[in-house]
């Protein structure tokens, strides 16, 4: 599977966070909201997620390069034991203190 360039993911994530702050400051501004949603869509495409929040979390995890640094594109990893397929348990993504 091809992984997105980390520099592009970092740039897109910074842009997403900046427009998120602008949208929260001026929720009635349609131009700000549209640009925020465009950034979220781009992040979703890069990270292979359907939700912008999930895409942002996946981007942060990918950029951290932790033990689970590969981007999952919707398919669960299956492990075979005795010919039976088992679905691996999802790995929780830690949240930053500012997001709580």
């Amino acid at each position: 599977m091809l992984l997105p360039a980390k520099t592009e993911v970092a740039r897109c994530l910074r842009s997403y966070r900046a427009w998120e702050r602008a949208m929260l400051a001026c929720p009635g501004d349609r131009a700000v909201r549209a640009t925020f949603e465009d950034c979220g869509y781009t992040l979703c495409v890069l990270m292979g997620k359907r939700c912008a929040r999930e895409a942002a979390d996946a981007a942060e995890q990918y950029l951290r390069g932790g033990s689970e640094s590969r981007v999952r594109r919707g398919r669960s990893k299956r492990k075979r034991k005795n010919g039976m397929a088992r679905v691996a348990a999802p790995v929780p993504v830690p949240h930053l203190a500012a997001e709580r």
Side-chain angles (χ1 to χ4, degrees):
M1 167 176 37
L2 292 175
L3 297 176
K6 286 192 175 191
T7 55
E8 186 64 23
V9 173
R11 186 195 62 76
C12 190
L13 183 61
R14 276 193 310 271
S15 178
Y16 175 80
R17 294 291 183 206
W19 284 108
E20 181 180 39
R21 287 189 297 274
M23 198 250 340
L24 291 173
C26 303
D29 189 342
R30 290 183 180 194
V32 171
R33 180 174 288 276
T35 307
F36 169 66
E37 290 175 357
D38 287 346
C39 286
Y41 176 78
T42 302
L43 198 58
C44 287
V45 171
L46 276 175
M47 302 310 296
K49 301 292 181 180
R50 290 183 176 211
C51 170
R53 168 59 52 200
E54 289 178 7
D57 290 343
E60 288 172 354
Q61 185 175 357
Y62 176 61
L63 292 173
R64 270 194 296 265
S67 61
E68 193 70 27
S69 63
R70 299 185 107 181
V71 178
R72 291 187 183 171
R73 299 223 176 237
R75 293 183 183 172
S76 60
K77 291 188 174 184
R78 297 184 181 267
K79 297 181 181 179
R80 297 216 175 251
K81 184 175 182 180
N82 299 333
M84 302 289 290
R86 292 188 343 222
V87 177
V91 178
V93 178
H95 293 280
L96 301 174
E99 295 178 343
R100 291 183 185 167

